[in-house]
Amino acid sequence: SAVISQKPSRDICQRGTSLTIQCQVDSQVTMMFWYRQQPGQSLTLIATANQGSEATYESGFVIDKFPISRPNLTFSTLTVSNMSPEDSSIYLCSVGGGGVLLDYGYTFGSGTRLTVV
Amino acid sequence: RKEVEQDPGPFNVPEGATVAFNCTYSNSASQSFFWYRQDCRKEPKLLMSVYSSGNEDGRFTAQLNRASQYISLLIRDSKLSDSATYLCVVSYNAGKSTFGDGTTLTVKP
């Protein structure tokens, strides 16, 4: 399975600022996914990042707040813009979901623990 | 109603016990099913994919019942190291995955 390097692993940010999270994959992948995991909750998909096209956002998430870049098949960034304390969460990137039966599952980066003060 | 619902837990069991987790999903078009394990402050890691025929990996057995839209995970002979949160995940295409809220298991000596 793919190996993902995600950074930063954690950050404490002032409200109103922005943070860019990076994910580097050791192999070329078509789709990368960005998730948010709020304290004590499960993962929620923010968007799907495809190389060469705009990201596809899930309901409740917008490009102005979470701009995504996907410059090539091994790299993606997620920016959390104009942060507020409600954005405090763990952000994870993920790849996978392939296979003939779509049963390969997903590999996750180690996550970015964001605290907004 | 949530798309994926799991037993709320927590489950506290002694070492050696057998424990079962249940999960139901609402989207009948779902195509693939997984159990993930998430340790505290760590990312989720794939435990096993789940098939209609059922599948077993050592002490872990997963079952899928498409008619009832139900998935289960059975852990036999629980170890202390099995303590974690177990996430039920359902996908209806290669990109769209929905995670359950997770069931926390604590195995005690």
Side-chain angles (χ1 to χ4, degrees), chain A residues 1-81:
Chain A
S1 59
V3 176
I4 303 174
S5 174
Q6 182 173 345
K7 56 182 180 182
S9 59
R10 60 178 63 237
D11 208 339
I12 300 174
C13 300
Q14 297 290 325
R15 66 179 69 200
T17 63
S18 298
L19 175 71
T20 296
I21 302 166
Q22 301 179 4
C23 273
Q24 178 76 50
V25 190
D26 68 344
S27 57
Q28 293 185 337
V29 293
T30 304
M31 291 190 289
M32 293 180 71
F33 309 97
W34 286 97
Y35 286 86
R36 180 174 75 183
Q37 186 171 28
Q38 294 182 303
Q41 297 186 27
S42 192
L43 283 75
T44 300
L45 181 63
I46 297 172
T48 302
N50 298 313
Q51 195 271 333
S53 63
E54 276 198 9
T56 304
Y57 289 82
E58 297 301 305
S59 175
F61 298 96
V62 295
I63 187 171
D64 289 346
K65 177 66 176 178
F66 297 101
I68 287 171
S69 78
R70 185 78 202 276
N72 56 53
L73 291 172
T74 64
F75 187 78
S76 179
T77 69
L78 169 78
T79 298
V80 186
S81 302

